[in-house]
Amino acid sequence: MKNGIAQIILMMIIVSSCDQKMVANQSDIKLNNPNEFIGKHKAKVSILGVFHFSNPGLDSYKEEFEFNILENKRQKELEIIIDKISKYKPTKILLESNRVHSDSILNIKLEKYVTGEFDISNMESEYYQIGFKLAKKLGHNRIYSSDAEAKWFGANLDWDNYDSDEYMKRQGQYEKSHRYNYNEVYRESDSLKSVYSLGDYLIMLNDPNDRLKDHQAYLTNTVLEGAGDNYIGADAVARWYRRNIRIFANTYDITSFDQEERILLIYGAGHVWPLRQLFLDSPDYEYVEINEIIS
């Protein structure tokens, strides 16, 4: 009997000792740290949001006010912007061109531009006017296409006969989704590019408040269409996020964390807000506001 009691007491002591060790070990475990970085160098990244110098007219708002980046006045303003960005010393320049289809083509053109065999004096696109000129100034021998397609994956409708306004009125969604007049916001912003210097306009365009206001159109207008039915608005927003997440994935793939990186993305300003959020949330990047560079 005494031996049995002694064995029970011994077992209780062993269990208690194990429990104390577990508590001690648990106290050594730190709470997850969202700022933890595993690698040699955290990468700096900045996004220059631009309006398309050679606008393809694919956005819902169609530009009304003229702007010619090839004018002498605008070329001088552009030189100032490029000079300021060059002081940031980007190690890699990423463009809003399709990574799969355009990367090799653009780099052949860049090589010829650097050697004087490819003339960009009559080419308006920011690919050339900012990307190529900046790459040459910095001595880069390559540039990076980083955009990606995000094909429609929502409801299949008879788009030729589909009337968005009429549909939303039937659903009772039209009034709520049109409380904010985004076309007027876009038009006012569009008008300022013909009045401001290029530098001042880009500073205004890249202000986080301006970018958030622009992004809110997706969350107050686009997203509502078809809620409770075909969800084409939510799917349109998902498609937009999908494209930006793919751009982020491409950037992440292109970035090296074994060396100091200062990544510069040159994209249509609408991309700035969702991409900015992804970089801010990532443990691997230090986000640099572009206005700290070009102001």
Side-chain angles (χ1 to χ4, degrees):
M1 182 69 177
K2 288 183 180 180
N3 289 338
I5 294 173
Q7 288 178 350
I8 292 172
I9 293 172
L10 179 61
M11 288 296 297
M12 290 176 66
I13 292 171
I14 292 171
V15 170
S16 176
S17 175
C18 289
D19 287 343
Q20 288 177 1
K21 286 181 180 179
M22 288 179 65
V23 171
N25 289 337
Q26 287 173 359
S27 68
D28 292 335
I29 299 173
K30 296 180 180 178
L31 293 175
N32 289 334
N33 179 7
N35 296 314
E36 181 184 18
F37 167 69
I38 299 175
K40 292 182 180 179
H41 297 281
K42 203 170 209 181
K44 290 185 177 181
V45 63
S46 190
I47 309 168
L48 176 65
V50 298
F51 59 100
H52 295 300
F53 296 162
S54 178
N55 196 302
L58 299 178
D59 297 325
S60 58
Y61 172 80
K62 308 304 178 186
E63 292 187 357
E64 299 179 32
F65 298 87
E66 293 183 2
F67 181 93
N68 185 358
I69 191 62
L70 302 179
E71 290 177 351
N72 287 336
K73 173 188 174 183
R74 298 306 189 182
Q75 286 290 298
K76 291 177 181 177
E77 293 171 349
L78 179 62
E79 286 177 16
I80 295 172
I81 293 294
I82 290 175
D83 185 59
K84 288 181 177 180
I85 296 175
S86 67
K87 293 176 182 175
Y88 169 63
K89 297 181 180 178
T91 54
K92 289 172 181 169
I93 301 167
L94 278 58
L95 299 180
E96 188 182 342
S97 56
N98 188 278
R99 186 180 183 187
V100 175
H101 303 300
S102 304
D103 192 69
S104 60
I105 296 170
L106 272 179
N107 276 290
I108 290 170
K109 290 180 178 180
L110 176 64
E111 183 180 351
K112 291 183 176 180
Y113 167 67
V114 170
T115 59
E117 301 173 71
F118 182 68
D119 183 17
I120 65 170
S121 61
N122 291 316
M123 297 184 176
E124 295 178 293
S125 172
E126 61 272 13
Y127 293 176
Y128 308 116
Q129 292 300 317
I130 301 180
F132 275 33
K133 288 181 177 180
L134 181 61
K136 184 177 181 179
K137 186 178 181 69
L138 293 169
H140 290 197
N141 58 12
R142 125 177 277 309
I143 210 159
Y144 297 85
S145 295
S146 57
D147 199 2
E149 293 178 338
K151 294 181 180 179
W152 176 252
F153 57 91
N156 292 318
L157 301 178
D158 180 6
W159 296 108
D160 291 335
N161 297 305
Y162 176 72
D163 187 316
S164 174
D165 290 351
E166 286 301 318
Y167 169 76
M168 294 186 76
K169 287 173 182 177
R170 289 198 304 272
Q171 294 293 111
Q173 297 168 338
Y174 183 85
E175 186 175 347
K176 181 186 286 187
S177 71
H178 285 73
R179 288 173 299 146
Y180 302 98
N181 189 348
Y182 287 103
N183 272 335
E184 188 57 35
V185 172
Y186 300 148
R187 190 176 189 279
E188 181 181 2
S189 177
D190 183 26
S191 70
L192 293 176
K193 77 173 187 282
S194 63
V195 179
Y196 285 7
S197 70
L198 178 61
D200 287 342
Y201 186 71
L202 289 178
I203 289 169
M204 181 207 76
L205 200 63
N206 284 279
D207 183 288
N209 286 327
D210 190 89
R211 291 302 85 224
L212 176 57
K213 180 65 177 178
D214 181 82
H215 182 70
Q216 285 172 341
Y218 289 99
L219 309 179
T220 60
N221 177 273
T222 308
V223 73
L224 188 59
E225 187 172 356
D229 182 25
N230 55 35
Y231 292 98
I232 59 174
D235 288 345
V237 176
R239 182 188 185 190
W240 174 242
Y241 274 98
R242 184 185 182 199
R243 180 180 169 196
N244 283 286
I245 291 170
R246 287 183 169 196
I247 294 166
F248 175 82
N250 280 334
T251 306
Y252 195 58
D253 187 37
I254 291 166
T255 303
S256 170
F257 300 106
D258 290 330
Q259 61 191 40
E260 292 186 9
E261 291 268 49
R262 290 176 297 282
I263 308 294
L264 175 71
L265 290 88
I266 303 172
Y267 266 77
H271 291 275
V272 171
W273 190 264
L275 287 175
R276 176 181 183 270
Q277 195 61 48
L278 291 168
F279 287 121
L280 285 171
D281 288 348
S282 169
D284 296 316
Y285 290 95
E286 177 187 336
Y287 189 75
V288 180
E289 297 289 355
I290 194 66
N291 281 355
E292 295 177 12
I293 296 168
I294 64 174
S295 293

